[in-house]
Amino acid sequence: MVLESQERGFWLLYRPPPGAVVATEVDMRKLCRAKRPKKVATRPATFPIPSGRLSPVEPCEPAAKADKLRQALARRRVKVSKAAESAICYYQQYAEFDAFIGGGLPDQSQNPWVSDSADYWESERRTRDVPARRVKRWGFSIHELLRDPAGRQEFEKWLLKEVSAENLAFWEACQRLRHAPASQVHKEVNRIYDTFLGPDATEPVNVAGPVAEAVRKRMSSATAASADRYAFEAAEEHIFQLMKSDSYGRFLRSDFYRQLLASGKKKLSSKKQQRLSSSDAATNAVNVNTASAAAARRSRDAGTVDAVTIPGAEGTDAAN
């Protein structure tokens, strides 16, 4: 109690004068920030940020920017164990199909990464006599299916049976539009709109109302000089997600895909039988030649002139 009374008396006697900064009453950090000189932007900020306010642009030296990028690279977004597990799963899945990993090569085919020959990749673009391993790879994802010309062709046949082939046709038209020459963009945009999205479309696609309205507004504001090759980007994404979530799954579960997989296996097994039969015939021919040579040698050693019958070659006379 004596010490507390002395402390109270000391502060009553030595109280700071009015207007002075007292550390026990004011946050010194806030006070320092308030008195710190504000940075002036080197250029005016004229771009809005999502919140609607204007953000000043601070100058950044190349060295400081490089340091920030290095720090960003040092921060891991994904755990190393998860990344390694994903990489292992990917290589296990594609070990049978990817020539770079070392698998997926048919018989009598050279590895293009070793032989520097593109014959293997040219054979992969063929749409006839598709092997079972290519059909099996279509089940990995819709990207693998559409990347393969044969897979896209078979998927289109199945969509024709399902009366929804216009979705794939619209997606392919949008893909071609992205790489079309600038002089043909306006004509191609109008053709795609009149065929798939217009009020009198011949092959209308099923897109959501807001997406169709956004495409309609972009088409109404576009001219021949300002034709936008990405005018159907939202509709294209919508149709692709529709094929991915609905059509692709039903395609993999359909009997059509099972028949493709079974026919590929049958062709592969018939080819194996042909190779085995040809190898057996070659083995028999070698055996016949060996037997004939041995019989001729025995007859020559015995000095006989009688005919020698060769096993496996009836009707053939071997003279001494």
Side-chain angles (χ1 to χ4, degrees):
M1 292 177 63
V2 173
L3 292 177
E4 185 180 353
S5 299
Q6 290 179 350
E7 185 75 14
R8 188 182 299 111
F10 175 84
W11 285 111
L12 287 174
L13 180 62
Y14 296 100
R15 179 177 296 180
V21 178
V22 183
T24 57
E25 298 177 0
V26 179
D27 190 353
M28 298 302 296
R29 291 177 295 180
K30 292 183 179 180
L31 183 62
C32 293
R33 285 198 298 266
K35 293 185 178 182
R36 186 182 303 167
K38 296 182 179 180
K39 296 181 180 180
V40 181
T42 56
R43 55 179 178 178
T46 57
F47 57 92
I49 60 176
S51 61
R53 297 176 287 105
L54 295 180
S55 176
V57 180
E58 298 182 0
C60 185
E61 298 295 333
K65 187 176 182 180
D67 292 338
K68 290 182 178 179
L69 292 176
R70 292 191 189 97
Q71 293 175 3
L73 288 175
R75 292 193 296 269
R76 294 196 301 266
R77 299 292 190 274
V78 183
K79 291 183 178 180
V80 177
S81 58
K82 293 294 183 182
E85 183 179 355
S86 301
I88 292 173
C89 291
Y90 174 83
Y91 282 104
Q92 288 177 349
Q93 184 181 21
Y94 282 87
E96 184 182 353
F97 308 93
D98 197 340
F100 184 78
I101 303 175
L105 292 173
D107 296 335
Q108 299 178 356
S109 180
Q110 296 179 347
N111 193 332
W113 299 100
V114 178
S115 61
D116 199 16
S117 174
D119 295 338
Y120 169 72
W121 288 320
E122 293 295 335
S123 65
E124 287 293 302
R125 295 190 180 96
R126 297 172 186 170
T127 56
R128 296 184 60 184
D129 298 333
V130 181
R133 58 182 182 81
R134 284 177 62 183
V135 181
K136 184 179 178 181
R137 186 170 179 173
W138 298 346
F140 289 172
S141 66
I142 190 174
H143 301 281
E144 293 287 347
L145 175 65
L146 297 178
R147 189 180 296 117
D148 193 336
R152 187 180 298 188
Q153 182 176 344
E154 298 297 337
F155 187 52
E156 184 179 3
K157 291 180 182 178
W158 182 81
L159 289 177
L160 285 172
K161 295 181 179 180
E162 295 289 319
V163 199
S164 57
E166 65 277 359
N167 293 336
L168 181 61
F170 172 71
W171 181 81
E172 289 179 340
C174 293
Q175 292 293 314
R176 290 192 299 268
L177 178 62
R178 294 189 177 187
H179 306 283
S183 58
Q184 300 179 6
V185 170
H186 181 67
K187 180 180 178 181
E188 190 68 16
V189 165
N190 291 332
R191 187 191 68 80
I192 294 174
Y193 181 77
D194 296 336
T195 305
F196 300 101
L197 296 172
D200 300 328
T202 57
E203 301 178 15
V205 293
N206 186 17
V207 295
V211 176
E213 186 64 24
V215 172
R216 195 174 296 111
K217 287 181 180 180
R218 296 186 69 168
M219 288 297 299
S220 61
S221 61
T223 59
S226 62
D228 187 6
R229 65 175 72 238
Y230 301 101
F232 309 111
E233 189 172 9
E236 178 189 0
E237 181 66 22
H238 180 80
I239 292 298
F240 183 80
Q241 292 298 328
L242 183 64
M243 290 193 299
K244 180 180 179 181
S245 59
D246 182 46
S247 301
Y248 175 67
R250 290 189 290 111
F251 171 74
L252 296 181
R253 295 190 299 268
S254 65
D255 296 334
F256 184 83
Y257 178 73
R258 295 193 186 98
Q259 291 176 2
L260 289 174
L261 193 59
S263 62
K265 290 181 179 179
K266 288 180 181 179
K267 291 178 182 179
L268 186 62
S269 61
S270 63
K271 289 181 180 179
K272 284 185 177 180
Q273 291 178 359
Q274 291 176 2
R275 287 196 300 270
L276 290 175
S277 61
S278 62
S279 62
D280 293 341
T283 304
N284 293 333
V286 170
N287 293 335
V288 168
N289 294 334
T290 304
S292 62
R297 187 169 56 253
R298 286 196 303 270
S299 63
R300 185 177 63 252
D301 295 339
T304 61
V305 292
D306 297 335
V308 180
T309 303
I310 302 173
E314 290 77 7
T316 303
D317 295 335
N320 187 4

